[in-house]
Amino acid sequence: MTERPIGVFDSGIGGLTVVRALTRRLPHENIVYYGDTARVPYGPKSPQVVRTYAAEDTDVLLAHKVKMIVVACNTVSAVALDVVQKRSRVPVVGVIVPGAETAARVTRKKRIGVIGTAGTVRSQAYDHAIRRVDPTIEVFSRACPLFVPLVEEGWIDHKATEMIAREYLFPLMLEKIDTLVLGCTHYPLLREVIGRVLKGVVTLVDSGEATAVAVEEALETHGLKNPSTLRPNLSFYVSDIPHAFSEIGERFLGQKLGVVKKM
Amino acid sequence: MTERPIGVFDSGIGGLTVVRALTRRLPHENIVYYGDTARVPYGPKSPQVVRTYAAEDTDVLLAHKVKMIVVACNTVSAVALDVVQKRSRVPVVGVIVPGAETAARVTRKKRIGVIGTAGTVRSQAYDHAIRRVDPTIEVFSRACPLFVPLVEEGWIDHKATEMIAREYLFPLMLEKIDTLVLGCTHYPLLREVIGRVLKGVVTLVDSGEATAVAVEEALETHGLKNPSTLRPNLSFYVSDIPHAFSEIGERFLGQKLGVVKKM
């Protein structure tokens, strides 16, 4: 059982930043990744549609006999985590609660900013999760729909990206936040430009990294940690292989993707 | 038969700019529109996936007993028009050929620029269609993946949009084009900023408007024109109704959408 893979799914390839965090923290765990690239993005779509897709994504991973499911997609974690939990008998970890708890621990002024897709922000899932830790914390959210296409265009450090980041983040700076949750798997790639716009006075919380810690804890709690010290298997499945998929994917994963199979 | 609706489909709501052009040119035709908003966008996806979706979209319209199908989506027109044609017994009009023929007629210097999604540009469908009219015309293409999200964000006249337009269009200006095809249904909304960047010396060709002319010709050729002078029925169907759908849709259509039904 412990040798079974951890299943990770996302609406597309953004979740590879979560896989990157997982492989750093848990270098001996086998991982099966599924990205629904044929229907990406989920962020602007309705909760109903996202819930339908989440159920189907869960089934893809369960067919691979995973020992745990990590919902790398913030939008799914925000509006459909219960769908995934109801469907699977294995433990399920989303990215919202770990990110929210880390932010709640880090903030000193109790003023946290959250950025994400339209779906994630509208759900207020981060707000609720943060206030569950400490109801006196104030949360200020902002949807940043252009960040995902900017990252996918590879404009990581482009002057247009900085201009757009400045516009998106300005209202949050006015609120004097001291902590900002990067509530979308694409955003860690914009860490530098976001940090520059916020002039280094705001702590950035990467939900993917927080999730890797939560996954390790969950594996230990359930006695599911792989005791092996061998090099693990990383398998990648997608519903579509668009042009330049591997190049873009490697930018997220931080290493070569290897063979990617289309379902 | 002539009273039957014209069927129009698109990957999302962008095709409403084509409906707008159709209602202006053919004010008495009934129209059924289908937007695949649950899987939008098609532009970055592989031709294989786009062909599968195009077949399904065609079936949705055929179920409404349409007398003609207009493929409003440039990406589908570029890589899957044959799929739609094979599936339907009614005439099929795509947006590529009308846009290409108009551009070929308009250019004086025989230097045409084409902008569109990654899928449309990579297919070279406009290049082939333009050279079929006149093989001595030179065509210069550029994918502009950020234009669609900028339009959907409503940043029609934003300084970031102008900066990005300048960067995308600069290589085409260097090629001294005198005509530019707006090869994506979203781009007519950026007509002003694109015109400003090109300093008014380039003629913009809206494929949607060119398509409305082609549809009128096809209706006449096939004896399908509706002789009625009554106010027509416009029906809108989508696969998902995301937040703010009607507001965004009205921006494209140029009038109130009325009731939109989810399939």
Side-chain angles (χ1 to χ4, degrees):
Chain A
M1 184 70 178
T2 56
E3 280 172 23
R4 284 192 185 173
I6 298 171
V8 182
F9 81 83
D10 181 48
S11 58
I13 55 173
L16 292 174
T17 60
V18 178
V19 173
R20 183 211 289 235
L22 284 172
T23 55
R24 282 196 190 151
R25 185 143 201 115
L26 300 159
H28 305 297
E29 293 293 340
N30 300 308
I31 295 177
V32 171
Y33 182 87
Y34 177 61
D36 189 11
T37 44
R39 302 189 292 198
V40 73
Y42 289 1
K45 285 160 194 163
S46 72
Q48 291 79 347
V49 157
V50 173
R51 291 171 72 81
T52 306
Y53 292 172
E56 293 168 9
D57 299 339
T58 302
D59 291 349
V60 171
L61 289 182
L62 291 176
H64 282 92
K65 306 207 180 303
V66 296
K67 63 181 176 183
M68 173 180 284
I69 290 181
V70 179
V71 181
C73 178
N74 278 268
T75 308
V76 173
S77 299
V79 305
L81 198 66
D82 59 312
V83 172
V84 183
Q85 281 164 334
K86 252 178 233 151
R87 231 173 163 80
S88 46
R89 283 181 220 159
V90 296
V92 173
V93 178
V95 287
I96 303 272
V97 171
E101 291 180 349
T102 303
R105 207 169 47 239
V106 163
T107 185
R108 286 167 187 277
K109 296 199 280 177
K110 300 201 176 191
R111 300 179 78 80
I112 297 176
V114 175
I115 54 175
T117 66
T120 300
V121 166
R122 210 157 31 240
S123 75
Q124 299 190 288
Y126 273 107
D127 311 49
H128 297 318
I130 290 169
R131 295 223 188 85
R132 223 172 292 132
V133 180
D134 180 349
T136 68
I137 294 176
E138 285 196 86
V139 182
F140 307 93
S141 308
R142 179 78 151 103
C144 303
L146 289 165
F147 278 175
V148 168
L150 284 165
V151 168
E152 301 217 331
E153 179 74 321
W155 289 19
I156 302 301
D157 199 20
H158 192 283
K159 58 188 193 308
T161 308
E162 185 161 332
M163 181 190 280
I164 291 166
R166 214 170 282 287
E167 174 141 349
Y168 279 150
L169 301 174
F170 185 68
L172 300 179
M173 289 176 75
L174 283 185
E175 298 292 356
K176 303 203 184 305
I177 58 164
D178 70 351
T179 304
L180 179 69
V181 179
L182 306 178
C184 170
T185 53
H186 280 67
Y187 298 179
L189 280 87
L190 297 176
R191 196 182 250 282
E192 268 193 42
V193 64
I194 291 171
R196 198 158 59 234
V197 166
L198 297 175
K199 299 188 180 84
V201 296
V202 172
T203 306
L204 302 184
V205 173
D206 177 345
S207 283
E209 286 172 7
T211 300
V213 179
V215 169
E216 183 172 35
E217 287 168 5
L219 288 174
E220 279 164 1
T221 306
H222 293 88
L224 286 172
K225 209 168 176 184
N226 189 355
S228 156
T229 53
L230 298 174
R231 227 178 130 200
N233 266 325
L234 304 183
S235 313
F236 300 98
Y237 297 87
V238 288
S239 49
D240 184 27
I241 302 190
H243 183 77
F245 173 81
S246 294
E247 294 92 291
I248 300 171
E250 284 162 16
R251 214 181 291 152
F252 286 82
L253 185 63
Q255 63 178 76
K256 288 260 174 229
L257 266 173
V259 180
V260 177
K261 281 162 240 154
K262 192 181 152 186
M263 303 286 302
Chain B
M1 184 71 179
T2 56
E3 281 172 23
R4 286 193 184 173
I6 298 171
V8 182
F9 80 83
D10 180 47
S11 57
I13 55 173
L16 292 175
T17 60
V18 178
V19 174
R20 182 211 291 235
L22 284 172
T23 55
R24 282 196 190 151
R25 185 142 204 117
L26 300 159
H28 305 298
E29 293 293 339
N30 300 307
I31 294 177
V32 171
Y33 182 86
Y34 177 61
D36 189 10
T37 44
R39 303 189 291 197
V40 72
Y42 289 2
K45 284 159 194 163
S46 72
Q48 290 79 347
V49 157
V50 173
R51 290 171 71 81
T52 306
Y53 293 172
E56 294 167 8
D57 299 339
T58 302
D59 291 349
V60 171
L61 289 182
L62 291 176
H64 283 92
K65 304 206 181 303
V66 296
K67 63 181 176 184
M68 173 181 283
I69 290 180
V70 179
V71 181
C73 178
N74 279 267
T75 308
V76 173
S77 299
V79 305
L81 198 66
D82 60 312
V83 172
V84 184
Q85 282 164 334
K86 252 178 233 150
R87 228 170 165 84
S88 45
R89 283 181 219 161
V90 297
V92 174
V93 178
V95 288
I96 303 272
V97 171
E101 290 180 348
T102 304
R105 206 168 48 239
V106 164
T107 185
R108 285 167 188 277
K109 296 199 282 177
K110 300 202 176 189
R111 300 179 78 79
I112 296 176
V114 175
I115 54 175
T117 66
T120 299
V121 166
R122 212 161 26 243
S123 74
Q124 299 190 290
Y126 274 107
D127 312 48
H128 297 318
I130 290 169
R131 294 225 188 83
R132 223 172 291 133
V133 179
D134 180 348
T136 68
I137 294 176
E138 284 195 85
V139 182
F140 307 91
S141 308
R142 179 78 150 104
C144 304
L146 288 166
F147 277 176
V148 168
L150 282 165
V151 168
E152 302 218 330
E153 179 73 322
W155 289 19
I156 301 301
D157 198 21
H158 193 283
K159 58 187 193 310
T161 309
E162 185 161 331
M163 181 190 280
I164 291 166
R166 214 170 282 286
E167 174 141 348
Y168 278 150
L169 301 173
F170 184 68
L172 300 179
M173 290 176 74
L174 283 186
E175 298 292 355
K176 304 203 183 305
I177 58 164
D178 70 351
T179 305
L180 179 68
V181 179
L182 306 178
C184 170
T185 52
H186 281 66
Y187 298 179
L189 280 85
L190 297 177
R191 195 182 251 283
E192 267 193 42
V193 64
I194 291 171
R196 198 158 60 233
V197 166
L198 297 175
K199 298 187 181 85
V201 296
V202 172
T203 307
L204 302 185
V205 173
D206 177 345
S207 283
E209 286 172 7
T211 299
V213 179
V215 168
E216 183 171 34
E217 286 167 5
L219 288 174
E220 280 164 0
T221 306
H222 292 89
L224 287 173
K225 210 169 176 182
N226 189 357
S228 156
T229 52
L230 299 174
R231 222 175 135 205
N233 266 325
L234 304 183
S235 314
F236 300 98
Y237 297 87
V238 289
S239 49
D240 184 27
I241 302 190
H243 183 77
F245 173 83
S246 294
E247 295 93 292
I248 299 172
E250 284 161 15
R251 213 182 292 153
F252 286 82
L253 186 62
Q255 64 179 75
K256 288 258 175 230
L257 266 173
V259 180
V260 176
K261 282 163 237 153
K262 193 182 151 187
M263 305 286 300

